[in-house]
Amino acid sequence: MVKGANDLLKPAHVDAAADLLKTVDCIVLQFEIPLETVYYCVSFARKNGIRCIVNPAPAQPIDMNALAGLDYFVPNESEAETITGVPVRNVEDAKKCAEKLLSEGVQRVILTLGANGSLLAGREGMEHIPAFRVKAIDSTGAGDAFIGSFAVFLGEGSPEREAVRRANLYAGLSTTGVGTQKSFYDRGRYDVEWAAQGQS
């Protein structure tokens, strides 16, 4: 992977964009920019009451204290295992892993589990939210599809659990085509599928 300009994104750029960032509903971060910038942006979001979602990809050792108060930490199984050392092979493993992450100070953990759906975890409890049945061809980009759509659904006012269910479907549908962005459903196609599958 050649990160190029991503490596040059620094906390000073967050400050330079502060006025614009203060108008957004949600900030989504990955680890394809320097960790110092991720940590700084999480702190900025918390100070300004902006919802913040962190996807720890590509996975690497991190200072969880720097993410204290984060709204949503959204790893997949392998990312969660890299960060916590807790293997994630099934839903019960995912619960143990999420418990460890919550103990580090994040508000919510959503562990994406591929064909097993996802686990929504907070201090008040955990819920396994099953995947929708699709004919998967290529799972590349499914995590990005989940996180991006989850942020959109929350921003549109969907309750948290429904936003996770909706994102499960969107991510699942993304695996029915080959590639990443070109396999993502547009909103019209997605809404048809949600009307057909999501109301059960």
Side-chain angles (χ1 to χ4, degrees), residues 135-163:
K135 189 173 182 180
I137 296 172
D138 180 6
S139 64
T140 307
D144 292 336
F146 179 93
I147 290 161
S149 64
F150 175 67
V152 167
F153 298 135
L154 280 182
E156 291 177 345
S158 290
E160 181 181 71
R161 184 182 182 279
E162 180 181 317

Side-chain angles (χ1 to χ4, degrees), residues 13-80:
H13 294 106
V14 178
D15 288 337
D19 288 345
L20 177 60
L21 289 172
K22 287 175 184 177
T23 70
V24 305
D25 178 77
C26 181
I27 295 173
V28 180
L29 299 161
Q30 289 185 300
F31 288 176
E32 292 173 351
I33 61 174
L35 284 179
E36 67 165 338
T37 309
V38 172
Y39 298 154
Y40 188 84
C41 205
V42 168
S43 175
F44 174 90
R46 189 169 60 245
K47 287 174 186 171
N48 289 283
I50 303 165
R51 181 186 292 129
C52 191
I53 299 170
V54 170
N55 169 223
Q60 56 190 288
I62 57 173
D63 177 8
M64 288 299 296
N65 289 329
L67 301 181
L70 173 69
D71 296 292
Y72 293 98
F73 191 69
V74 190
N76 65 21
E77 301 109 313
S78 62
E79 292 157 359

Side-chain angles (χ1 to χ4, degrees), residues 84 86-88 90-103 111 119 126:
T84 65
V86 178
V88 181
N90 52 49
V91 174
E92 288 309 308
D93 289 349
K95 289 178 179 178
K96 292 173 189 171
C97 186
E99 204 169 90
K100 182 166 185 178
L101 289 166
L102 289 169
S103 74
L111 235 161
L119 178 75
M126 301 187 189

